[in-house]
Amino acid sequence: MDSSNHPAQVVLIVDDSPTNLELLCDLLDDVGYEVLVAQNGESAIEKVRYTKPDLILLDVLMPGIDGFETCRRLQNLPEAGDIPIIFMTALSDTANKVKGLNIGAVDYITKPFQQEEVLARIQLHLRMRTLHMSLQQEVQERTATEQALQQLTASLEQRIDERTADLRSALQELQQAHLDLLEREQKLHYQAFHDSLTSLPNRAWFMERLEQTIQRSIQDSNYVYAVLFVDIDRFKVVNDSLGHLVGDELLKQIASRLQTCLTDNIQLARFGGDEFIILLEDARDLDRARHLAETIQEELQLPFIVNGYKIYTGASIGITGSSMNYQQASDVLRDVDVAMYQAKVAGRGRYQILTYQMQQQVLSRLHLEHELRQAVESRDFCLHYQPIVALDTGELQGFEALIRWYHPQLGWVSPAELIAIAEETGLIGSLGEWVFYEACWQLRQWQKQFPNLPPLSMHINLSAIQLKQPGIVSRLLQLCQETGLDSQHIKLEITESSFLEAVNSSELLIHQLKKEGFHLCIDDFGTGYSSLSRLHEFPIDTLKIDRAFVNRLSGDSGIEIMRTIITLAHSLDMELVAEGIERTTQQEVLLSMACEFGQGYLFSPPVNSDTATQWFQNASPSIVFPVSVVR
Ligand code: C2E
Ligand code: CA
Ligand code: CA
């Protein structure tokens, strides 16, 4: 055997005969096996436990346990079960051989034995064992590889499953996110075009729809549409007196009643506040619109029950339509609003179809608005000054500054109209400042030019909107400073209603104006709803009695009213100016009632600054208008 490369194989010889042992030892040792010996079964089992031989030569007949028993026990040892065992015995009958082989021996050698045979068999079985072992190892390795492969496959499959599950859930999340996004988009879209209170389409939606309808009518001259603008009568009263919650609920109920009036091709939208708008897309003629307006009015006249309140309301409706040849939705709105307003003015609960004249009025008003804008920019105005005189002496006390606008095409534009437009458009701010500056500047000029004149005051009209402007007091003071006029020469004319509005939003303002030296004058007294006792709470210097009262002085009742006003004003320490005095008799009556001052055509109409300057030049030392002195 080649022992140089491999460790020597180990053979355990179990025999009770020392001769046999020696013989076999020598034999095996010679060919290079490592030899272990045991003289009985027990010590053989013991040896095998510690040194695992590659082969066992086992004698059968031994003292103690015999070879068969030893073999059986060895077979049961886990560390020895696979060691080939060759029986060597003198028992040569077949039954014993079969028994030995059945127990698990690999071979059977009968004694006396042939050395070559013993060697050959040992070598054979050792080779077989080596082969068997390497086969076993290969099998083991393969099994291990297969197992590893199986494990790998299993773990791969698991990973694939996991990844698939991950991907699936990611996909689901993505799909959900997409759905959420779509839903959000739809919701936003819905919100953008619907009113949250009534769930009706809103203004934006309506404008788009109307724009499309107009385009259709432009392309098809036979196509007729109509628009109804529905404004709820007295809604503000309900809202103010019963509260917003009731107001909201009422609007919802109104919306659903309006919906019951609709048929095919009719679109309803909430326009804002208590305004609803309706588009009849295929109106055929205006009769359908008329009929719809009547139905709506009947429906809305029935009482509403909200939170236990029985509420009566109604609707004023404006109507216009394709016969006006509209090109854009904003024009339709402008006109239908005007028609609605006319319906309201006519006494609520009515409908009004826009007429050509109404449209012309609106257009000329818009034109005027445009012109006014430009006039304010280029200061195309001037002031006229109307004298205010002492009723007993006729002596000039001051002037009221009144705005004048001469338009190259329109001629003189009525100040009342121009002020109304300026207030609506917000132009009153800069226009009012200009008036204030100009009037102050003019009086200051006269003061400087004619230093010997007794002190004069300038009455300047202030609109309610001017009073609401933040910082108005300091702005007026600044203008006084710029012109060099002392504020005590200025009497601010504020109409009764403007005054009460101003007081309601800021009482402080009135006191501030007074504190800064301005005189306060209630204009058009008697036309508003204020009572003198309310006005008494504020530092008012002068009451200007409206022209209407002066006009009525010819009758007894007129005289009595005037006397009451004058007496009351005096008892509150206010001075009086009577406006619009045109006749001597009026002056006489007023004088007899101790009204201090007057203004009117009897003395002078408003004049331009040149005329007034001439008066000053000709007067010495003061200007006196002829008055009746009958007391
Ligand atoms: P008001 O403040 O009551 O001004 C008096 C108006 O009565 C003036 O009309 C004046 O010309 C007119 N008047 C004067 N004496 C008589 C008379 O004897 N008989 C008659 N029938 N009328 C007389 P005007 O100038 O047309 O102004 C109308 C209104 O326009 C003014 O009424 C005032 O409310 C407003 N207004 C005029 N200028 C201004 C201004 O600069 N600012 C503001 N905020 N309003 C102004
Ligand atoms: Ca006035
Ligand atoms: Ca007045």
Side-chain angles (χ1 to χ4, degrees):
M1 276 205 70
D2 177 14
S3 60
S4 58
N5 291 333
H6 304 284
Q9 287 180 300
V10 182
V11 179
L12 171 65
I13 307 165
V14 189
D15 207 319
D16 58 331
S17 144
T19 326
N20 273 348
L21 279 178
E22 198 182 331
L23 196 73
L24 283 166
C25 265
D26 289 346
L27 178 69
L28 296 180
D29 197 43
D30 283 350
V31 289
Y33 294 112
E34 193 183 322
V35 183
L36 299 172
V37 292
Q39 283 186 315
N40 54 47
E42 281 90 350
S43 73
I45 290 166
E46 200 62 20
K47 280 230 162 76
V48 167
R49 274 211 174 106
Y50 300 107
T51 49
K52 204 180 163 194
D54 296 296
L55 190 134
I56 302 169
L57 285 176
L58 185 57
D59 187 16
V60 177
L61 295 173
M62 288 183 292
I65 57 168
D66 67 1
F68 292 137
E69 181 55 26
T70 309
C71 178
R72 225 178 265 120
R73 290 194 191 176
L74 282 170
Q75 297 273 297
N76 286 335
L77 283 182
E79 57 268 51
D82 62 338
I83 302 172
I85 299 172
I86 302 173
F87 279 123
M88 284 200 312
T89 179
L91 302 171
S92 60
D93 57 311
T94 314
N96 273 317
K97 283 186 187 170
V98 171
K99 185 180 174 188
L101 292 174
N102 274 344
I103 289 168
V106 295
D107 212 345
Y108 205 99
I109 301 168
T110 44
K111 291 182 192 171
F113 48 74
Q114 289 295 311
Q115 286 192 6
E116 291 77 14
E117 190 194 341
V118 171
L119 267 183
R121 281 179 194 261
I122 286 174
Q123 276 166 356
L124 174 73
H125 285 294
L126 278 174
R127 206 175 305 131
M128 268 170 62
R129 173 172 158 78
T130 312
L131 262 171
H132 174 77
M133 275 175 37
S134 74
L135 221 70
Q136 219 174 18
Q137 196 181 347
E138 204 177 311
V139 169
Q140 269 174 4
E141 277 171 11
R142 278 182 187 219
T143 314
T145 313
E146 251 164 44
Q147 270 176 358
L149 214 72
Q150 264 173 4
Q151 261 175 14
L152 201 75
T153 313
S155 85
L156 255 167
E157 273 169 2
Q158 195 187 342
R159 271 180 59 194
I160 287 172
D161 284 352
E162 281 169 9
R163 287 289 290 152
T164 312
D166 283 355
L167 279 172
R168 198 169 288 139
S169 85
L171 193 73
Q172 270 173 358
E173 271 171 36
L174 214 74
Q175 279 171 339
Q176 191 56 49
H178 192 67
L179 282 176
D180 289 351
L181 214 74
L182 271 177
E183 205 176 300
R184 276 239 316 272
E185 225 169 68
Q186 278 172 346
K187 213 164 143 189
L188 280 175
H189 186 264
Y190 182 87
Q191 282 169 351
F193 290 105
H194 285 82
D195 163 49
S196 58
L197 181 70
T198 60
S199 299
L200 287 178
N202 63 11
R203 187 192 193 104
W205 181 92
F206 187 86
M207 294 304 273
E208 244 183 69
R209 188 84 180 202
L210 181 59
E211 211 65 75
Q212 289 163 7
T213 307
I214 292 170
Q215 288 314 313
R216 189 170 158 195
S217 80
I218 291 171
Q219 278 151 21
D220 174 3
S221 57
N222 292 323
Y223 179 74
V224 175
Y225 68 87
V227 174
L228 282 78
F229 194 71
V230 182
D231 185 279
I232 307 304
D233 293 333
R234 291 178 297 273
F235 178 77
K236 196 173 149 30
V237 178
V238 174
N239 216 34
D240 289 351
S241 56
L242 301 180
H244 290 278
L245 290 180
V246 173
D248 282 357
E249 185 53 36
L250 177 63
L251 284 174
K252 279 201 235 172
Q253 290 193 19
I254 288 171
S256 52
R257 267 202 212 168
L258 284 174
Q259 274 169 316
T260 62
C261 304
L262 308 183
T263 52
D264 285 352
N265 295 330
I266 302 183
Q267 310 297 336
L268 167 69
R270 182 173 174 215
F271 217 57
D274 59 343
E275 296 163 346
F276 296 86
I277 195 157
I278 295 170
L279 174 62
L280 267 77
E281 287 184 316
D282 221 337
R284 291 190 293 277
D285 52 47
L286 273 183
D287 276 347
R288 247 192 107 194
R290 246 185 229 120
H291 179 70
L292 179 60
E294 282 160 12
T295 313
I296 288 173
Q297 279 170 337
E298 278 166 27
E299 200 51 53
L300 295 189
Q301 249 150 34
L302 301 171
F304 291 86
I305 308 289
V306 184
N307 283 14
Y309 296 106
K310 196 171 191 178
I311 299 170
Y312 287 90
T313 160
S316 300
I317 303 174
I319 303 174
T320 189
S322 39
S323 58
M324 292 294 186
N325 292 324
Y326 292 110
Q327 302 292 310
Q328 52 191 23
S330 54
D331 291 351
V332 177
L333 284 189
R334 177 199 66 208
D335 285 3
V336 81
D337 187 55
V338 167
M340 188 279 291
Y341 183 73
Q342 292 302 327
K344 255 209 170 148
V345 169
R348 297 165 196 260
R350 291 160 196 249
Y351 69 85
Q352 174 68 55
I353 297 174
L354 185 91
T355 62
Y356 184 69
Q357 285 95 316
M358 285 180 201
Q359 195 185 41
Q360 282 313 300
Q361 274 172 14
V362 177
L363 290 177
S364 66
R365 166 85 185 216
L366 282 176
H367 179 63
L368 199 61
E369 224 177 273
H370 174 75
E371 297 288 304
L372 179 63
R373 231 170 253 284
Q374 293 194 325
V376 168
E377 260 172 44
S378 47
R379 309 265 183 258
D380 281 344
F381 309 99
C382 67
L383 288 184
H384 279 192
Y385 302 91
Q386 187 172 31
I388 292 167
V389 304
L391 282 182
D392 52 356
T393 60
E395 200 175 331
L396 179 73
Q397 300 299 308
F399 292 100
E400 176 176 7
L402 293 160
I403 191 159
R404 295 293 176 260
W405 179 25
Y406 186 80
H407 185 275
Q409 278 94 46
L410 305 168
W412 290 106
V413 179
S414 138
E417 193 179 355
L418 117 77
I419 294 295
I421 299 175
E423 284 184 337
E424 263 176 47
T425 52
L427 290 168
I428 191 71
S430 52
L431 186 64
E433 276 195 11
W434 178 82
V435 169
F436 192 89
Y437 179 90
E438 184 70 14
C440 293
W441 180 86
Q442 185 59 68
L443 182 57
R444 183 72 197 122
Q445 289 315 103
W446 285 328
Q447 286 176 346
K448 285 197 270 191
Q449 245 180 305
F450 310 102
N452 295 329
L453 281 177
L456 293 175
S457 57
M458 185 60 85
H459 289 239
I460 302 174
N461 295 287
L462 277 192
S463 110
I465 296 180
Q466 276 177 283
L467 285 172
K468 279 184 202 149
Q469 283 171 340
I472 179 72
V473 181
S474 50
R475 185 68 191 127
L476 295 184
L477 281 175
Q478 188 189 345
L479 293 172
C480 286
Q481 241 173 20
E482 282 173 24
T483 54
L485 187 73
D486 195 317
S487 61
Q488 65 168 339
H489 298 295
I490 298 167
K491 294 200 171 176
L492 298 174
E493 289 198 6
I494 303 168
T495 62
E496 248 183 288
S497 47
S498 306
F499 185 83
L500 291 177
E501 255 182 68
V503 161
N504 285 340
S505 50
S506 161
E507 280 196 20
L508 187 68
L509 173 77
I510 299 299
H511 292 282
Q512 274 178 334
L513 285 170
K514 181 70 194 165
K515 201 179 121 227
E516 296 299 345
F518 296 106
H519 286 245
L520 298 177
C521 172
I522 298 292
D523 201 359
D524 302 346
F525 181 76
T527 58
Y529 300 100
S530 62
S531 63
L532 271 176
S533 57
R534 176 90 173 104
L535 293 178
H536 171 55
E537 296 165 28
F538 303 99
I540 293 161
D541 305 281
T542 309
L543 275 195
K544 260 188 126 171
I545 306 171
D546 192 64
R547 195 161 66 234
F549 291 92
V550 175
N551 252 328
R552 274 185 238 131
L553 281 180
S554 40
D556 286 349
S557 66
I559 291 180
E560 272 324 298
I561 293 174
M562 183 64 84
R563 195 190 307 280
T564 315
I565 296 174
I566 294 174
T567 312
L568 265 172
H570 281 161
S571 72
L572 296 173
D573 274 345
M574 295 177 190
E575 287 182 337
L576 287 147
V577 179
E579 279 189 308
I581 303 174
E582 294 179 353
R583 290 190 295 275
T584 315
T585 46
Q586 292 167 337
Q587 180 246 327
E588 284 170 356
V589 173
L590 287 162
L591 185 61
S592 72
M593 292 173 185
C595 173
E596 292 92 343
F597 307 106
Q599 174 184 359
Y601 297 163
L602 177 66
F603 314 109
S604 165
V607 295
N608 63 25
S609 57
D610 289 346
T611 306
T613 307
Q614 284 210 327
W615 289 343
F616 292 125
Q617 277 164 350
N618 300 337
S620 60
S622 66
I623 299 173
V624 178
F625 292 89
V627 288
S628 163
V629 287
V630 183
R631 274 224 177 218

